[in-house]
Amino acid sequence: MSGGLLVAGTTSDAGKSVVTAGICRWLVRQGVKVAPFKGQNMSLNSFVTREGAEIGRAQAMQAQAARVEPTALMNPVLLKPGSDRSSQVVLMGRPVGEMSARGYHGNRQRELFEPVMACLDELRATYDAVICEGAGSPAEINLRRTDIVNMGIARAARLPVLVVGDIDRGGVFAQFFGTTALLDAGDQSLVAGYLVNKFRGDVTLLEPGLEMLHGLTGRRTYGVLPYAHGLGIDEEDGLRVSLRGTVRESVVAPPVGEDVLRVAVCAVPLMSNFTDVDALAAEPGVVVRFVDRPEELVDADLVVVPGTRGTVRALAWLRERGLAAALARRAAQGRPVLGVCGGFQALGAHIEDDVESRAGEVEGLGLLPVRVRFAREKTLARPVGEALGERVEGYEIHHGVAEVLGGEPFLDGCRVGSVWGTHWHGSLESDGFRRAFLRQVAAQAGRRFVPAPDTGFAALREEQLDRLGDLIEEHADTDALLRLIEQGPPAGLPFVPPGAPAAR
């Protein structure tokens, strides 16, 4: 078997990432050697592979679903937004420069097509099946000429395309039909059919619509996945934090002690790797929410200043919102604050940035005795260490180089009283360390909170990935899906007018 499939979506956040992961987990449980792939990813949530390459966290999660080690081959191009109009381009795990959207979607993107296809070819030569994830919508006809992630790679590799639609948003039939009808004839010939995601209710009420969709497009629906609560799987393009007080999904379990622990995460601009708090949200009795006003810190037992792609911009935002003053008050009162990566840098005394923001000399919040100088070379590492008497693993992704001038050592950062700072992402996934840290937070906050003695974050993540595999196995036509992966696009798929002009 040397099969493949492209999971496309009618929109961003239609469920491509989780469906891809679910198919990977279902296949590996059938004994298929499978790998995920996304030619180009735009995300501020990233991960460092064992060889020191930076890739999207969604692809790392999908690799875990496939039970394989993530590599740069699985996400050769990563775009990390630095503003509304520019992104850092990461190629094969290493940054190669900043580029405007106009510049990237011109010749630069076309230049990347060959290395992207080389990565896909290498994966297909190594694995029985490669499940590719698209980006946005395949019907973004303004970008089709330079596409290296949707129909561009499907066309080059003759991959069948499964289009996922989020019915919870409404309009899914129009989305399926419109997506197909906006593609040119060559692209349409690869669109095998559809997968409905996040359905609530009686599926028999949906069936007449699916039959009409088949009549209109000549394409079948391969499954209807029910809405699944509490998955908490790594997200692709960022958490929507425009709604104040957004709560991170957590396990539904009562606290072990007498109190819950409230965690407020400052929703800084260009927030990156907010998945750091997933391990906190997985703890029974820990409530995690994202905030953007100083009064929302008052009842928090722990405030987290997370990573960001724009430390200087985040600093300005914290000051403008009154959050900087609220953090200073917390520190003076001995109430816990944790800064991670860009958040750690913001808590420091001084920043010299001629790389990320080019702002030069900037004063930090002064809560930690740290000076930060931004280097052009990005630090990408998988450190292992010890803190609070426990072994800790993490990963680092940053341009800022911290000079720690005092305080107690803490994961290559420092701690002063109730304020902690580190460049290490993912440290809270180390179960023993997380429990020890939460015990200290509870003591400093005066809460009778007790960490659960048996919460294993890695085991919980495996359970979530198995749930995704179950969704595919129980609610998709897996026999038809396997034929699609093995045999490619069905022959004789009809053209749905009007179609776009042929891609050139």
Side-chain angles (χ1 to χ4, degrees):
M1 179 181 180
S2 181
L5 177 71
L6 175 69
V7 178
T10 56
T11 62
S12 293
D13 203 32
K16 298 182 294 292
S17 296
V18 295
V19 167
T20 299
I23 293 173
C24 285
R25 178 49 61 102
W26 160 65
L27 283 172
V28 77
R29 294 195 308 207
Q30 310 308 307
V32 177
K33 187 180 178 184
V34 59
F37 176 79
K38 184 162 186 171
Q40 170 202 294
N41 190 351
M42 177 174 281
S43 180
L44 286 169
N45 282 334
S46 58
F47 182 77
V48 179
T49 67
R50 293 208 180 276
E51 71 266 29
E54 184 180 9
I55 66 172
R57 265 197 80 97
Q59 279 60 67
M61 175 269 292
Q62 290 160 358
Q64 185 178 349
R67 296 181 179 145
V68 296
E69 189 68 33
T71 74
L73 292 172
M74 297 171 185
N75 180 206
V77 179
L78 174 63
L79 306 179
K80 303 194 72 176
S83 70
D84 292 340
R85 295 190 176 186
S86 69
S87 295
Q88 183 181 67
V89 181
V90 179
L91 176 62
M92 292 304 295
R94 295 287 172 181
V96 294
E98 296 279 336
M99 190 164 290
S100 69
R102 181 179 292 275
Y104 179 74
H105 287 289
N107 291 331
R108 181 58 169 156
Q109 192 174 29
R110 278 191 278 184
E111 291 171 3
L112 295 172
F113 185 75
E114 285 190 15
V116 165
M117 287 306 302
C119 290
L120 177 56
D121 290 343
E122 185 171 343
L123 288 174
R124 296 190 77 184
T126 306
Y127 292 88
D128 299 331
V130 178
I131 308 303
C132 307
E133 180 189 345
S137 163
E140 291 167 350
I141 54 179
N142 56 314
L143 303 177
R144 176 62 183 89
R145 183 176 60 88
T146 56
D147 173 41
I148 62 171
V149 66
N150 288 308
M151 301 312 299
I153 67 161
R155 193 89 161 251
R158 295 299 301 168
L159 293 173
V161 178
L162 182 69
V163 181
V164 178
D166 180 356
I167 197 170
D168 198 51
R169 294 180 173 186
V172 75
F173 292 116
Q175 292 169 19
F176 284 144
F177 181 86
T179 297
T180 309
L182 276 176
L183 302 177
D184 70 32
D187 287 351
Q188 283 195 27
S189 70
L190 302 175
V191 177
Y194 313 110
L195 186 77
V196 177
N197 191 29
K198 298 185 182 178
F199 180 72
R200 307 172 192 251
D202 184 352
V203 73
T204 61
L205 298 176
L206 192 65
E207 288 171 354
L210 299 178
E211 292 172 5
M212 285 186 275
L213 181 67
H214 184 271
L216 288 166
T217 67
R219 287 156 175 86
R220 58 166 300 174
T221 297
Y222 283 78
V224 178
L225 306 186
Y227 195 104
H229 292 276
L231 284 173
I233 292 294
D234 292 355
E235 300 185 52
E236 174 72 354
D237 299 320
L239 182 70
R240 290 186 178 86
V241 291
S242 57
L243 296 176
R244 187 172 290 113
T246 301
V247 177
R248 197 73 174 140
E249 281 190 304
S250 57
V251 294
V252 181
V256 174
E258 297 179 42
D259 288 344
V260 298
L261 208 63
R262 296 171 178 85
V263 179
V265 184
C266 297
V268 297
L270 300 174
M271 183 167 52
S272 61
N273 288 66
F274 58 79
T275 46
D276 283 333
V277 301
D278 283 352
L280 295 178
E283 283 285 347
V286 176
V287 179
V288 177
R289 58 194 174 113
F290 290 81
V291 303
D292 61 2
R293 297 192 307 199
E295 54 267 33
E296 294 174 300
L297 305 190
V298 174
D299 67 345
D301 302 306
L302 169 66
V303 174
V304 178
V305 186
T308 171
R309 173 85 166 86
T311 300
V312 171
R313 180 175 167 184
L315 260 174
W317 181 86
L318 289 167
R319 286 178 169 130
E320 290 163 4
R321 298 264 175 161
L323 288 160
L327 289 168
R329 286 194 296 270
R330 286 187 67 89
Q333 295 163 359
R335 303 178 67 198
V337 176
L338 171 65
V340 181
C341 200
F344 165 45
Q345 297 166 6
L347 295 179
H350 186 81
I351 294 171
E352 182 183 338
D353 181 11
D354 295 318
V355 176
E356 191 174 77
S357 69
R358 298 180 177 85
E361 305 279 336
V362 178
E363 293 304 308
L365 298 183
L367 303 185
L368 290 173
V370 174
R371 295 178 63 89
V372 176
R373 177 184 56 81
F374 275 72
R376 297 199 177 277
E377 186 72 20
K378 181 184 281 191
T379 296
L380 297 169
R382 291 277 293 269
V384 177
E386 185 176 301
L388 304 181
E390 300 286 347
R391 186 176 188 273
V392 187
E393 296 183 25
Y395 59 98
E396 295 184 65
I397 306 169
H398 54 92
H399 284 279
V401 179
E403 181 186 4
V404 178
L405 302 173
E408 301 175 41
F410 175 67
L411 300 179
D412 291 341
C414 66
R415 170 193 179 185
V416 174
S418 63
V419 182
W420 316 63
T422 177
H423 270 134
W424 291 24
H425 293 289
S427 62
L428 293 166
E429 295 179 19
S430 297
D431 297 329
F433 166 70
R434 182 180 66 255
R435 295 184 194 115
F437 177 70
L438 289 176
R439 280 192 290 269
Q440 293 221 6
V441 166
Q444 290 175 335
R447 294 288 184 187
R448 289 173 293 185
F449 169 85
V450 178
D454 55 355
T455 301
F457 185 75
L460 286 173
R461 178 51 53 89
E462 277 297 302
E463 290 175 12
Q464 291 166 333
L465 294 172
D466 274 332
R467 286 180 63 194
L468 291 181
D470 293 343
L471 286 174
I472 297 298
E473 189 168 340
E474 295 168 10
H475 300 281
D477 185 339
T478 52
D479 289 339
L481 201 55
L482 193 58
R483 284 195 299 273
L484 196 62
I485 294 167
E486 290 177 333
Q487 300 172 15
L493 292 169
F495 174 72
V496 180
R504 292 180 295 181

